[in-house]
Every structure is written in C-alpha cells, then in structure tokens.
Amino acid sequence: TQNDRYVLDAPSKGGVRADIGGYGGPRAGRMGGSNSIDVTTDDTFQDIVDSGYPGDSIIITSGNYTLSSPVSLKEEQSVYGTGIEDVTIKVTGTNAFNAENTTVFENFHIDGNGSDGIRANNVENISFKNLLITDASDGLDIDGSTTVVAKNITFYNSTTGIKSTGGSSVKADYNIIFGASTGFSNSGGTMDANYNLFFSNGTDLFGSITKSNTVFLDPFFRDVGDSNYLPSPNSNAIDIDGTKEAGAFEFYVNSGRFTSPIYASASQTA
C-alpha cells in the first residue's frame, strides 16, 4: 500500500504514486520514517526539494530568501518555517511554491512582490496554516483541487486573498484579510469559511461561499509601517470565537516577576 516501506538499493526519489512498479507511492523504496531537511540561505531551494524523498519535511531556517522561479514539491512533502517573523520568502518570479498531493505549508512569511503566493493546481489534501502573505497577486491560487484547508493566515495588501476555481473544495477558517481588492473568491466549487476577519477590502466575499461568524472590523495590527502584523491588545482578531485568534499570530502578554535583593540603609552618627 501507499504507506508500506520497502528496502531497495536505490530507493525512489520520484514524485508519483506508481514510480516503482506495484510497490509505488510517495514512500516507496524506503525503510523507516520521513527525513527532515534544513534549507539555509546558502542553498538552492529546488535542489534541496529534489534531493529529498516524497514524505520529507523541508525546514526553512531563519533568513531572507528570494525565489525567482516556483519551487515544486513532491507528494507528501511539508514545508515548515522556523518562525513567521524569522523567515521571509520574496517572490521575483510567478509564484513561490507549487503544491503537490498531501503537502503542508506552515509558519513563514511570503512577500508576494506583486506575484502569486502558493498555487495548488489539480491536487488534493493541502494544508496552509500560520502563514503571513503580503503584497501578493493571489495569496493562495487554488484550481481544480480538493480538500484544501487554509487556517490562521494573515493576508495583507494582496489583490485576492484566496482565489478558488475549477471545482475546488476549500475550508478557510480563522484568517485575516486586510487591504485586498477581493478577500475570498470562489467560482465553480465549494468554499466553507468560518471565523474570518475582513477589513478595508474592495470586495470581501465574491461568488458562492458558505460563511459563518464573519467579522468586518479592524484587526488593529501593531505597526504595519514597520511590518509588524501582531495583534494589538484591542484587536478584533483576538478571541474571535471566544478562545482563538484569527490570523497568523497569537496574542500574548509578557509577564514575569522581578526579584531584588534586600537593601538595608546604614545610619551614621557623628
């Protein structure tokens, strides 16, 4: 089956389900669990993906990256950043990533620079979570893809936050869409949207979208001018459902205790 492991002298690094005869699949030719591969600013991103196996986790370490062409993943690969504030990927080509079946994108910032963020075309089981996508054309461009989840994403100043076409099925929850021409757009498929916050958009929702608990209020980012998209204490994204935040960042308050040694005053007598 797809999840079986087999031992071969040259295990497959292909990206299709039937790449080794009857024992094909993303994990064919392997023994044991998936690998974790670090990407640094010294690496060529696509080369790192190509050197890995389907099912591997690609860890983007702290730094600023530039992608002049989209990185195409293999099946079941996941891309994790070490932190939204630590990892920024600037797009200078058409888009940053092309999703494959059962891929995950989590915990980093995409500066779309006028291009698309991530494209998912004719794939299934895709997860986008805890992402900051700024200045993109389409933040997420989803076409002909099913079982797509977009959760806790902050979209800022993009043409469209999520664009869904071609009979896709999308579930979009706990997102912030600020300053878009169109927040969510759906054509020819299904989109289920819950606990999303829209503000200062040309059109918040376009097409057939099943929505609930939608908020149309200012998220009160701390300092957009300084690229700080954390929620201020008065943010309407905080506890949007009573317990959870909308958007990529959790609200937190630093607290602690200061302990000082005991000082005694000494009196002097003449």
Side-chain angles (χ1 to χ4, degrees):
T1 65
Q2 177 178 329
N3 291 319
D4 288 339
R5 271 69 165 177
Y6 297 90
V7 181
L8 300 176
D9 291 335
S12 170
K13 291 186 178 180
V16 297
R17 290 182 180 276
D19 55 349
I20 305 182
Y23 300 115
R27 300 177 186 277
R30 302 186 62 180
M31 181 176 69
S34 301
N35 295 323
S36 177
I37 307 172
D38 287 351
V39 177
T40 73
T41 53
D42 294 327
D43 297 316
T44 301
F45 213 122
Q46 187 66 62
D47 289 347
I48 295 297
V49 171
D50 291 343
S51 70
Y53 293 91
D56 283 344
S57 294
I58 312 299
I59 310 299
I60 314 173
T61 60
S62 179
N64 296 315
Y65 299 78
T66 299
L67 292 179
S68 58
S69 59
V71 174
S72 297
L73 299 186
K74 298 176 182 179
E75 287 196 13
E76 296 192 21
Q77 284 185 334
S78 300
V79 179
Y80 300 102
T82 54
I84 301 171
E85 297 175 282
D86 299 327
V87 176
T88 295
I89 298 171
K90 183 175 183 178
V91 183
T92 60
T94 57
N95 59 294
F97 294 99
N98 293 322
E100 247 297 351
N101 292 318
T102 317
T103 48
V104 175
F105 301 87
E106 189 169 330
N107 212 33
F108 54 89
H109 171 207
I110 294 177
D111 174 1
N113 192 35
S115 299
D116 289 348
I118 305 174
R119 293 179 179 175
N121 296 329
N122 298 306
V123 290
E124 62 183 6
N125 299 320
I126 312 302
S127 175
F128 305 105
K129 186 177 179 183
N130 291 108
L131 298 172
L132 171 63
I133 301 178
T134 60
D135 300 306
S137 179
D138 298 327
L140 300 178
D141 184 352
I142 301 164
D143 181 38
S145 299
T146 58
T147 318
V148 178
V149 174
K151 185 176 182 181
N152 287 110
I153 302 173
T154 296
F155 299 93
Y156 180 77
N157 197 36
S158 296
T159 303
T160 307
I162 299 176
K163 183 175 77 174
S164 175
T165 57
S168 298
S169 61
V170 179
K171 183 171 176 58
D173 299 336
Y174 298 97
N175 302 294
I176 296 176
I177 307 88
F178 187 116
S181 297
T182 304
F184 290 169
S185 175
N186 180 50
S187 175
T190 61
M191 183 180 290
D192 184 64
N194 304 286
Y195 291 108
N196 296 288
L197 186 153
F198 297 85
F199 189 72
S200 194
N201 304 302
T203 299
D204 295 311
L205 299 155
F206 178 82
S208 177
I209 298 173
T210 302
K211 61 184 182 300
S212 63
N213 302 295
T214 307
V215 174
F216 302 96
L217 296 171
D218 196 333
F220 290 114
F221 296 130
R222 294 197 180 190
D223 188 354
V224 169
D226 194 35
S227 300
N228 186 342
Y229 302 93
L230 290 166
S232 297
N234 61 335
S235 174
N236 292 292
I238 297 172
D239 294 342
I240 194 170
D241 68 349
T243 59
K244 300 176 185 176
E245 276 72 64
F249 299 97
E250 288 186 302
F251 176 71
Y252 61 90
V253 176
N254 289 329
S255 62
R257 175 181 297 176
F258 175 75
T259 303
S260 172
I262 298 174
Y263 292 95
S265 62
S267 60
Q268 293 181 349
T269 58

